[in-house]
Amino acid sequence: MLRLHLTLPTPAPQTRTSSAGCFRLLLAGSLVLCMLAASAGCGSRQQPTARRAENQLLEPNSFMAPWMGNIAVSEHGAPKQVFLRDDLVFVYTDQNVIYAMTAAGGRTLWVSRDVVGPRDRLWPPLLLDALNRFGAEVERIVAFPTNNSYVVYDETGRRIHESFLEQGERAITSPSYSHQGLAYTGLADNYGGRAAKIDPTRLINPILVPRLVRSVVVGRPVVYDRDFFIADESGNVYAIRDNGDQAWPIQRFQTGGPVSANLTADEDGLYVASNDSVLYALDRGTGRMIWRYFAEVSLYEPAFPTEDHVFLPVQGRGVVAISKREGATINREPIWMAEGAVDVLSHDAQNVYLLHGGGKIVAHRKSDGEALFSTSRTDFTRFARNPSGARIVATTPSGQVVAIEPVLTRGRVGMTVRAD
C-alpha cells in the first residue's frame, strides 16, 4: 500500500525592530534579525500568505501540495465548507466568516464576517460576470445567497449591496447555479415551489422568471445551452426556456420519488439522481429517457459526468462508474464499482479521484477502476468538488486549507510528496 506524506515548510520568521538606545546595539540587532529573516527579507508580511516549498523533483503516481493556507480558527471558527470557483477558493467557517483565496497560490485576498450573522443561512457562493453593471473597473462579482437575499461583493472584498427577494419575503430553498451573470435557484411558494432566474445586481424586482413548480426545490438546478433544468421533491423534472416558456414537448419528466440531489448536465444529457434509487439520463432537448441505472438504494448525491463516463456515489456501497457509450439501451449496468468510496472529487484524462472513508483520497483509473495511489493523511474533513480539472482543495478542523494535485509524470516540480 502506498503511503503519501505532504511535507510542508516552516514559515519564514517575522522581523522585529530593536528598541535599544545604543546605535551599536541597534545596528547589531538589525544585522542579526536580517540574517535570521534572510529567506523572507527584513520586512513583515501584511496579509496571511500560503506556505510554499523549495522546488523539488516529484515522483509520479503520488499527490503534491502546491500550497497550504490557514484559517484563524480561534478568531473566526473552524472550516465548515470549501468551494472552488474558477480561480478563487472560498472557505466558510462555522461562524459564517468567509475567506476568499487564490486557487493558484492560496493567498488570502480578503476575509469577511459581515455577509450574514453566525447563525443565519448561507448558501454556496456564485462567481458572476459583472457585465459592466457596476462600471468597467468591476469585472466580476461574488454573490452570496442567504435565506432571502443575495449579498453582492466585488473581487476585492468590498460589499456592494444586498438584493432582497420580494422585500425579503421570498425564501431560497436550494443552492444556486450561475450562468452568464445570473443566478438560477429554487424558491418557496405557498402553492409548492418556484423555479427562479434572478439578477442579484438589481435592488428592485431581481426575480426575472418566477415559474411555478409542483413542490419544493431542494437540489441545485443546472443551465445548459440556455435551457434551465430544475427538479422538485415530488419527483418532477422541468425544462424552462430563457423567457420562462416550457422547453420540452412534454410538460415534465416524472421520477418515482423526490429529487434532492443537484442536477448535472453536459452535451450528452441531463442527469437526475432520484430518491427512488434510479439515476436517469435524459435527452436535454425532449425530456425523454436515454438510459437509467438502478442503484437499489435512495440517491442523495449528484452524478459526476466526464467525457466518457458518469460517476455516481451510492450510499453504503461506493462509487459506480457507468459508461456513456457502451451498455444496454435502457437499463445500464456499471462497468466497475469502487467499494468504500463516498464521493467524487475531481478527474483528469486518465483517472478519477475519489474520497474514501476517513478522508483518504484515492486515484482510480477511469477505464477499469483500479486503485493506483492514495494519500495517507486522514485529517481532511471538507472538500471542494472540481468537475473541470484534477485539483482538489481540502480543509482540516484545525484550519489548514490545502491544494492537492496528482503527479502522473516524472519531472514535475513542487512541494515534496514521498511514497514509502
Side-chain angles (χ1 to χ4, degrees):
M1 178 177 177
L2 294 175
R3 294 175 57 84
L4 305 180
H5 308 277
L6 304 183
T7 304
L8 301 168
T10 303
Q14 299 288 330
T15 60
R16 301 181 185 275
T17 304
S18 172
S19 59
C22 175
F23 174 77
R24 291 181 180 177
L25 290 176
L26 176 63
L27 178 60
S30 298
L31 289 173
V32 170
L33 289 172
C34 285
M35 290 175 64
L36 289 174
S39 64
C42 292
S44 61
R45 294 194 294 259
Q46 299 299 315
Q47 290 224 20
T49 57
R51 298 185 192 178
R52 291 181 177 274
E54 296 179 0
N55 289 338
Q56 298 185 25
L57 192 64
L58 302 173
E59 291 298 318
N61 293 330
S62 61
F63 286 101
M64 65 177 287
W67 55 262
M68 186 189 79
N70 284 285
I71 301 298
V73 172
S74 60
E75 182 180 359
H76 297 145
K80 180 177 64 174
Q81 292 177 287
V82 57
F83 308 96
L84 182 60
R85 297 290 186 262
D86 294 342
D87 57 344
L88 297 177
V89 173
F90 296 95
V91 180
Y92 291 178
T93 76
D94 55 16
Q95 296 180 16
N96 278 343
V97 177
I98 297 173
Y99 278 70
M101 311 170 74
T102 61
R107 182 170 62 92
T108 299
L109 298 173
W110 47 270
V111 179
S112 176
R113 62 177 78 198
D114 300 326
V115 176
V116 293
R119 296 187 179 182
D120 293 330
R121 185 64 183 262
L122 187 59
W123 294 96
L126 305 176
L127 189 60
L128 304 172
D129 293 331
L131 303 178
N132 206 31
R133 289 176 288 196
F134 298 104
E137 69 279 3
V138 181
E139 296 182 359
R140 293 191 302 182
I141 57 174
V142 187
F144 297 101
T146 72
N147 185 53
N148 56 1
S149 69
Y150 287 82
V151 182
V152 178
Y153 279 61
D154 68 11
E155 289 188 273
T156 68
R158 177 176 64 94
R159 181 176 175 133
I160 298 176
H161 69 240
E162 183 171 7
S163 179
F164 287 94
L165 304 181
E166 296 185 2
Q167 291 77 48
E169 297 180 358
R170 184 67 62 187
I172 298 172
T173 61
S174 78
S176 300
Y177 186 88
S178 61
H179 179 70
Q180 295 185 348
L182 300 176
Y184 296 77
T185 192
L187 301 179
D189 191 271
N190 294 334
Y191 302 98
R194 290 194 188 194
K197 179 171 73 172
I198 296 167
D199 183 351
T201 68
R202 298 177 62 170
L203 290 174
I204 300 175
N205 299 326
I207 303 176
L208 306 180
V209 173
R211 172 80 176 268
L212 283 172
V213 295
R214 290 195 167 191
S215 188
V216 176
V217 176
V218 296
R220 191 202 66 192
V222 69
V223 178
Y224 198 92
D225 278 349
R226 301 187 68 176
D227 284 340
F228 173 20
F229 303 98
I230 196 165
D232 64 26
E233 282 203 309
S234 294
N236 302 290
V237 185
Y238 307 85
I240 304 170
R241 295 208 181 279
D242 196 50
N243 62 1
D245 292 342
Q246 177 179 308
W248 287 339
I250 58 175
Q251 186 176 10
R252 62 187 178 274
F253 179 86
Q254 180 73 52
T255 74
V259 177
S260 55
N262 296 343
L263 300 185
T264 51
D266 62 11
E267 62 181 4
D268 295 307
L270 171 69
Y271 306 99
V272 183
S274 174
N275 291 178
D276 67 0
S277 81
V278 181
L279 171 66
Y280 300 90
L282 305 182
D283 186 300
R284 291 183 292 99
T286 65
R288 304 293 183 184
M289 184 173 61
I290 304 172
W291 53 262
R292 63 189 172 187
Y293 161 65
F294 287 96
E296 300 179 354
V297 295
S298 295
L299 299 175
Y300 300 104
E301 299 297 329
F304 191 105
T306 64
E307 183 178 1
D308 297 314
H309 302 85
V310 178
F311 299 96
L312 178 70
V314 179
Q315 193 171 44
R317 298 190 177 184
V319 170
V320 299
I322 304 167
S323 173
K324 287 182 175 182
R325 317 298 176 198
E326 301 175 0
T329 304
I330 298 298
N331 297 334
R332 192 153 298 185
E333 294 295 328
I335 57 175
W336 55 264
M337 174 184 289
E339 295 184 1
V342 296
D343 203 357
V344 190
L345 298 179
S346 67
H347 75 108
D348 55 31
Q350 302 175 42
N351 305 323
V352 60
Y353 302 98
L354 306 182
L355 174 64
H356 283 244
K360 182 179 293 187
I361 302 169
V362 181
H364 290 263
R365 190 158 50 213
K366 284 181 175 179
S367 59
D368 58 12
E370 181 179 351
L372 303 175
F373 54 95
S374 69
T375 60
S376 59
R377 284 187 65 167
T378 58
D379 56 339
F380 298 124
T381 55
R382 299 290 184 267
F383 302 85
R385 263 189 169 200
N386 183 5
S388 58
R391 173 166 289 189
I392 300 163
V393 181
T395 67
T396 69
S398 63
Q400 289 185 353
V401 185
V402 183
I404 304 169
E405 288 185 355
V407 179
L408 302 181
T409 58
R410 191 179 305 275
R412 286 201 67 179
V413 174
M415 187 174 292
T416 302
V417 180
R418 186 175 61 253
D420 296 334

